[in-house]
């Protein structure tokens, strides 16, 4: 589906989280009958992420979720691993497999170097995918790591293969914004694993498109919002973990603008990191921090980027059949069927 949104915004070259230099994303997609799931990996920089940690933060908008690694991230304010996404019941397999990957890379991990804090996030894809089958394997985790690149796919791919948002097919979406401070350009990007919302609530650039679809549809579904969304923010702005938490809170504006009411059953989680400062192994670290009131445009960029990333997760996804044989329409096909111009 070709549709450009936020035409007046200043975006990065790819309009993806990977416009932040060093950030790459990889997928492993599993499609076999009723098995439709996968793994998505976000590599935060080109160097040694375990030995060169990044300042980071997490923000729990609504804690109906099972993600791993957020406790230590919150306590220490650093990121020291790739960020993984998968389905809810594959968390353990992804953690186990990624831990083996770390052990193979670092001979002291689990011994003198301690255990790495690996972040694994999840959304429930059990409507489309046979989630009980635990089909994500170690090979899928390794494949997602091997496939990392700047120009990655969006939509029904990787961890997004079995996701549904606003009763439409969704998955992975990403976007970026350019911010100018003191004559220098900085980048803020977001990536979402989108799996939440009711169709009647969907808005795209303030247009109540979901309500239009709902009113024209013969099937008036009133499903509860019982999905989730994982939001990852990356920036090259030199900001602290505390400032990253402030930034993360603005993701709620983006969710609200697209029609989320942060429902009871929706686990809405934000993870944010900055590539500007790398925390090494010396006893004293020198870091550069942005003046507080200069975060204003970053807040705006965050809200708008998250909003666009959710919309792109719909735009780039194709219709899919659930494991029970019911069709989940893509945004494009649903609009076409209902005769709505977009």
């Amino acid at each position: 589906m070709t549709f450009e949104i936020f035409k007046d915004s200043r975006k990065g070259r790819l309009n993806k989280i990977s416009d932040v230099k060093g950030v790459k994303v990889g997928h492993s997609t599993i499609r076999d009958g009723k098995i439709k799931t996968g793994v998505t990996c976000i590599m935060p920089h080109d160097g040694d992420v375990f030995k060169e940690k990044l300042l980071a933060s997490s923000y729990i908008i609504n804690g109906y979720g099972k993600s791993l690694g957020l406790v230590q991230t919150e306590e220490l304010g650093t990121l020291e691993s790739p960020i993984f996404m998968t389905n809810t019941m594959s968390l353990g397999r992804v953690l186990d497999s990624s831990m083996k990957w770390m052990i193979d890379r670092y001979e002291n991990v689990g011994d003198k170097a301690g255990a790495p804090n690996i972040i694994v996030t999840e959304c429930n894809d059990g409507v489309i995918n046979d989630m009980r089958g635990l089909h994500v394997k170690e090979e899928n985790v390794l494949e997602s790591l091997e496939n990392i690149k700047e120009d990655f796919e969006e939509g029904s791919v990787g961890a997004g293969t079995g996701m549904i948002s606003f009763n439409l097919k969704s998955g992975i979406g990403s976007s970026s914004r350019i911010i100018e401070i003191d004559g220098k350009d900085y980048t803020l990007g977001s990536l979402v694993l989108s799996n939440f919302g009711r169709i009647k609530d969907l808005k795209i650039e303030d247009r109540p498109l979901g309500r239009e679809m709902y009113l024209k549809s013969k099937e008036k579904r009133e499903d509860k919002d019982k999905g989730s969304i994982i939001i990852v923010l990356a920036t090259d702005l030199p900001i602290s973990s505390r400032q990253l938490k402030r930034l993360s809170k603005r993701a709620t504006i983006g969710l609200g603008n697209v029609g989320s009411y942060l429902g009871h059953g929706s686990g809405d989680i934000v993870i944010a990191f900055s590539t500007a400062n790398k925390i090494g192994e010396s006893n004293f670290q020198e870091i550069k921090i942005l003046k507080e009131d200069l975060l204003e445009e970053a807040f705006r960029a965050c809200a708008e980027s998250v909003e666009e990333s959710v919309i792109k997760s719909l735009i780039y996804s194709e219709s899919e059949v659930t494991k029970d044989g019911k069709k989940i329409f893509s945004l494009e096909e649903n609009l076409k069927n209902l005769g709505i111009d977009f």
Side-chain angles (χ1 to χ4, degrees):
M1 185 174 188
T2 55
F3 182 79
E4 185 180 356
I5 52 180
F6 298 106
K7 295 180 181 179
D8 59 342
S9 297
R10 193 175 172 208
K11 306 175 184 181
R13 178 176 61 88
L14 297 172
N15 193 25
K16 296 177 181 179
I17 193 173
S18 49
D19 287 321
V20 178
K21 186 178 179 181
V23 178
K24 294 182 175 67
V25 176
H27 301 297
S28 177
T29 302
I30 309 170
R31 289 184 179 275
D32 184 7
K34 295 181 179 182
I35 307 168
K36 298 166 185 173
T37 191
V39 179
T40 293
C41 166
I42 301 171
M43 189 65 71
H45 69 76
D46 285 331
D48 189 323
V49 69
F50 186 57
K51 294 182 179 179
E52 297 178 306
K53 299 171 177 47
L54 300 180
L55 296 183
S57 180
S58 63
Y59 178 58
I60 312 303
I61 301 171
N62 188 55
Y64 202 118
K66 286 82 177 172
S67 295
L68 305 172
L70 302 184
V71 173
Q72 183 171 313
T73 301
E74 184 65 15
E75 183 70 17
L76 301 185
T78 56
L79 174 67
E80 59 181 32
S81 78
I83 298 170
F84 294 93
M85 297 174 166
T86 190
N87 72 66
T88 305
M89 295 182 73
S90 294
L91 278 172
R93 179 61 57 79
V94 174
L95 178 62
D96 182 56
S97 301
S98 56
M99 192 67 74
K100 289 180 181 177
W101 179 79
M102 294 288 282
I103 289 170
D104 289 342
R105 290 170 65 90
Y106 304 100
E107 62 181 13
N108 288 327
V109 158
D111 188 10
K112 296 178 182 178
N117 183 56
I118 300 175
I119 295 178
V120 188
T121 63
E122 54 78 30
C123 287
N124 189 319
D125 62 8
V127 174
I128 289 178
N129 173 51
D130 171 30
M131 193 167 62
R132 285 174 54 87
L134 304 176
H135 299 289
V136 172
K137 307 298 182 186
E138 182 177 353
E139 64 194 62
N140 301 113
V141 177
L142 297 178
E143 184 178 40
S144 73
L145 287 159
E146 292 167 0
N147 287 341
I148 57 168
K149 53 188 176 182
E150 291 182 359
D151 197 4
F152 57 90
E153 292 182 75
E154 298 173 82
S156 301
V157 64
T161 304
M163 300 302 166
I164 301 170
S165 294
F166 302 101
N167 307 125
L168 300 167
K169 187 66 189 73
S170 64
I172 298 290
S174 189
S175 68
S176 67
R177 294 293 183 271
I178 306 299
I179 308 160
E180 182 180 340
I181 297 177
D182 282 349
K184 182 177 178 180
D185 286 343
Y186 296 90
T187 304
L188 182 146
S190 66
L191 182 144
V192 302
L193 177 61
S194 182
N195 192 55
F196 71 101
R198 303 182 305 167
I199 193 166
K200 67 187 298 184
D201 297 328
L202 174 63
K203 294 182 291 183
I204 296 182
E205 289 196 290
D206 294 327
R207 178 179 171 181
L209 195 63
R211 182 166 291 277
E212 293 176 41
M213 290 188 284
Y214 176 79
L215 292 175
K216 278 202 168 189
S217 175
K218 294 179 181 179
E219 181 183 2
K220 297 293 191 292
R221 295 180 63 179
E222 289 282 3
D223 292 351
K224 292 182 179 180
D225 185 356
K226 53 185 178 181
S228 290
I229 184 167
I230 304 297
I231 302 167
V232 177
L233 304 174
T235 185
D236 55 11
L237 280 167
I239 54 181
S240 68
S241 56
R242 180 187 57 77
Q243 290 172 320
L244 284 163
K245 182 175 288 294
R246 293 193 69 203
L247 184 69
S248 297
K249 293 177 181 179
R250 274 63 186 183
T252 57
I253 305 300
L255 291 181
N257 286 347
V258 82
S260 171
Y261 289 89
L262 311 178
H264 162 73
S266 180
D268 308 317
I269 295 171
V270 188
I271 300 162
F273 64 88
S274 168
T275 62
N277 295 295
K278 293 183 173 63
I279 308 301
E281 298 178 342
S282 63
N283 290 338
F284 293 92
Q285 304 289 326
E286 293 185 7
I287 61 176
K288 186 177 181 181
I289 300 296
L290 185 69
K291 186 180 178 183
E292 209 71 29
D293 59 8
L294 294 178
L295 283 169
E296 187 76 24
E297 287 306 310
F299 291 164
R300 183 187 303 276
C302 171
E304 193 174 282
S305 178
V306 170
E307 181 179 355
E308 183 175 12
S309 290
V310 173
I311 296 167
K312 287 179 72 181
S313 78
L314 296 167
I315 289 175
Y316 285 100
S317 291
E318 298 178 353
S319 298
E320 189 58 87
V321 177
T322 71
K323 65 178 187 286
D324 296 326
K326 184 173 183 178
K327 189 169 185 178
I328 303 296
F329 289 102
S330 67
L331 174 62
E332 181 177 20
E333 187 171 0
N334 205 49
L335 289 170
K336 183 178 180 180
N337 290 342
L338 297 174
I340 300 174
D341 293 328
F342 179 57

